Amino acid sequence: MAKPLGDSVVFKAPWIEERGVVATIGVRKIIPTKTVAGEIMKSLAAVKKAVGETASASLGRPFFRFHSISMGVTYDIEIGYLLIDELTNANGLLLSQMPPGNYACLQYLGKNRGYQGNKALIDWIRAAGHAMDNWDTALGDTFACRYEVYVSEIEHEPDNKKWRKELAIKLK
């Protein structure tokens, strides 16, 4: 059941989960904060087109991964799809993977609610005494792995206020 959290809606309360390696395909860019939302959608469409119809069965859920965040300035972000099958040709895209480990997770609902959802998860991680696997670099706050996955089928749900996303932040 969803519960309000400020301007966000937490759909599924935080939990810790051990995850294995997850293969991905996508693009990696440094994007100004002001254009990140539009760039995510454009990049997802470009990745899907580059993979082509013949390999689209290999694509799982869309994701975006924050490698580094300079809050209010730029994001070093990877945008693409989780893979459910191995691809023989990346068509010029980045083949990567989410590393294995323990992740703090949370699901939230709604468009433009990422800030509130991330804040809720980070606050929960700290209050529970866990430590995120992150460090400071010239690019900002850098993470071993911090990503969001669209749980909703965004291509079939026109109302982006109903989109459900899952956050995952790798713990130390």
Side-chain angles (χ1 to χ4, degrees), residues 67-84:
H67 288 275
S68 297
I69 298 173
S70 180
M71 194 58 89
V73 182
T74 59
Y75 294 105
D76 176 2
I77 188 169
E78 186 176 337
I79 304 163
Y81 288 83
L82 304 179
L83 290 174
I84 53 177

Side-chain angles (χ1 to χ4, degrees), residues 3-11 106-110 112-118 120:
K3 71 177 181 181
L5 178 73
D7 289 1
S8 184
V9 175
V10 173
F11 189 83
L106 171 145
Q107 288 186 7
Y108 71 92
L109 187 66
N112 299 329
R113 305 295 188 199
Y115 176 80
Q116 292 90 356
N118 276 275

Side-chain angles (χ1 to χ4, degrees), residues 29 31-44 79 112:
K29 303 175 175 186
I31 302 170
T33 301
K34 292 179 182 179
T35 62
V36 74
E39 191 61 41
I40 287 171
M41 300 316 289
K42 283 192 270 185
S43 293
L44 285 174
I79 304 163
N112 299 329

Side-chain angles (χ1 to χ4, degrees), residues 45-100:
V47 169
K48 193 165 195 172
K49 183 178 180 182
V51 169
E53 291 181 19
T54 57
S56 64
S58 298
L59 298 181
R61 292 188 261 162
F63 78 94
F64 49 100
R65 176 180 177 182
F66 300 103
H67 288 275
S68 297
I69 298 173
S70 180
M71 194 58 89
V73 182
T74 59
Y75 294 105
D76 176 2
I77 188 169
E78 186 176 337
I79 304 163
Y81 288 83
L82 304 179
L83 290 174
I84 53 177
D85 289 318
E86 188 175 320
L87 288 179
T88 56
N89 184 351
N91 294 333
L93 297 170
L94 172 67
L95 286 173
S96 187
Q97 56 186 224
M98 307 294 185

